[in-house]
């Protein structure tokens, strides 16, 4: 999978080089490229924003600098993801959908967001014919300073579903949100007693059927308690 991320703060995205994502890039499973939006700004001040038509607080990102940056990245079969608190909510299901994508482009807006004509332009039939889709996505009902952290959340959730990215692929099959309303059971490791708290007896029993039943009850209880 190829991933491009566009931001005015490319250094903000440096954690993408670490850990499992770093390994997946070295092994060629994944290619991640971060682009500086200001590199293609058109004036001496590297301006990327201006005041909103119609008035109101804050600044809006200029369409032309986004257009210049996005045009060369819009290859056949691409999903353009515009991060915005007004977007469709990102879930495990969305992560699964994007995990089979060919090419993801993340547009990280700042301030009051990106001029809406950028979304409109890349949503036209011309781009649909080239298998290019535009998505506006929010990672939750809160407002961040920009899309950078949101794109990293999405990239981590999506790429760990690509075969070969995770060290232990079995961790995928059992985990949280696999089933609607079902959260993960609590886990324990050594020592058997820590600060006076013991590991639940059942987990030491070796009875796999009973352990599976207990875990499923615990998972259900967690899901209820979190409602
Ligand atoms: N930009 C600002 N807030 C955001 C959010 N909640 N999700 C995605 N992008 C954002």
């Amino acid at each position: 999978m190829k991933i491009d991320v566009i931001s005015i703060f490319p250094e903000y995205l440096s954690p993408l080089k670490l850990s499992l994502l770093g390994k997946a890039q070295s092994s060629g499973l994944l290619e991640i490229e971060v682009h500086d939006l200001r590199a293609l700004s058109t004036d001496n001040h590297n301006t990327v924003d201006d005041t909103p038509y119609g008035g109101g607080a804050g600044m809006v990102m200029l369409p032309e600098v986004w257009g210049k940056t996005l045009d060369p990245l819009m290859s056949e079969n691409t999903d353009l993801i515009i991060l915005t608190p007004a977007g469709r909510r990102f879930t495990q299901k969305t992560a699964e959908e994007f995990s089979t994508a060919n090419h993801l482009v993340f547009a990280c807006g700042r301030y009051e967001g990106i001029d809406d004509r950028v979304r409109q332009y890349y949503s036209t039939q011309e781009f649909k014919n080239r298998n290019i889709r535009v998505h506006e996505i929010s990672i939750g009902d809160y407002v961040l300073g920009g899309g950078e952290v949101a794109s990293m959340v999405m990239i981590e959730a999506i790429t760990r579903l690509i075969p070969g990215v995770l060290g232990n692929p079995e961790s995928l099959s059992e985990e949280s949100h696999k089933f609607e309303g079902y959260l993960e059971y609590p886990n324990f490791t050594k020592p058997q007693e820590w600060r006076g708290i013991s590991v639940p007896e059942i987990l030491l029993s070796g009875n796999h059927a009973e352990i599976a039943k207990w875990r499923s009850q615990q998972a259900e209880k967690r899901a209820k308690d979190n409602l």
Side-chain angles (χ1 to χ4, degrees):
M1 183 190 285
K2 171 80 200 291
I3 297 178
D4 289 292
V5 189
I6 305 154
S7 162
I8 54 166
F9 297 121
E11 313 86 74
Y12 222 113
L13 295 141
S14 49
L16 293 174
K17 297 190 191 103
L18 303 176
S19 184
L20 289 175
L21 278 180
K23 276 200 199 122
Q25 288 169 84
S26 319
S27 71
L29 274 173
L30 202 62
E31 190 189 340
I32 305 182
E33 205 176 325
V34 177
H35 306 261
D36 184 356
L37 184 74
R38 286 196 205 274
L40 294 178
S41 56
T42 47
D43 68 348
N44 294 340
H45 303 288
N46 286 339
T47 307
V48 293
D49 59 347
D50 209 329
T51 52
Y53 276 118
M59 302 290 268
V60 177
M61 296 187 103
L62 298 165
E64 183 54 12
V65 65
W66 276 101
K68 279 191 170 163
T69 309
L70 287 170
D71 282 341
L73 300 177
M74 289 297 122
S75 49
E76 186 87 13
N77 196 7
T78 291
D79 288 277
L80 169 60
I81 295 165
I82 300 173
L83 283 321
T84 161
R88 176 164 62 94
R89 174 79 69 86
F90 182 64
T91 64
Q92 186 65 22
K93 189 159 174 282
T94 336
E96 279 165 20
E97 282 162 16
F98 284 130
S99 71
T100 57
N102 167 61
H103 179 207
L104 301 177
V105 177
F106 289 88
C108 304
R110 286 249 141 198
Y111 321 113
E112 298 305 309
I114 303 169
D115 188 308
D116 192 56
R117 287 169 293 183
V118 173
R119 177 192 63 78
Q120 293 177 34
Y121 177 76
Y122 294 105
S123 304
T124 53
Q125 197 59 44
E126 178 197 341
F127 290 95
K128 286 197 178 90
N129 291 345
R130 290 169 51 206
N131 231 340
I132 291 165
R133 297 159 290 272
V134 182
H135 315 264
E136 286 189 296
I137 305 247
S138 162
I139 62 160
D141 287 342
Y142 36 78
V143 180
L144 301 165
E148 285 77 7
V149 172
S151 74
M152 284 194 281
V153 166
M154 287 188 65
I155 291 168
E156 186 160 316
I158 291 165
T159 55
R160 64 192 289 287
L161 300 175
I162 298 172
V165 169
L166 267 198
N168 177 9
E170 272 176 27
S171 10
L172 285 182
S173 56
E174 287 184 16
E175 72 196 12
S176 297
H177 302 291
K178 185 80 189 158
F179 308 103
E180 198 68 35
Y182 226 73
L183 292 171
E184 202 169 314
Y185 50 79
N187 278 303
F188 304 87
T189 183
K190 278 93 186 164
Q192 207 170 303
E193 190 189 308
W194 178 74
R195 297 190 180 176
I197 309 167
S198 294
V199 171
E201 218 32 69
I202 182 79
L203 298 178
L204 311 173
S205 70
N207 185 334
H208 296 297
E210 282 303 310
I211 290 172
K213 200 167 120 196
W214 180 85
R215 283 180 165 166
S216 129
Q217 284 164 355
Q218 291 288 314
E220 229 170 288
K221 181 174 178 307
R222 264 194 177 177
K224 258 197 217 119
D225 292 350
N226 282 333
L227 282 180

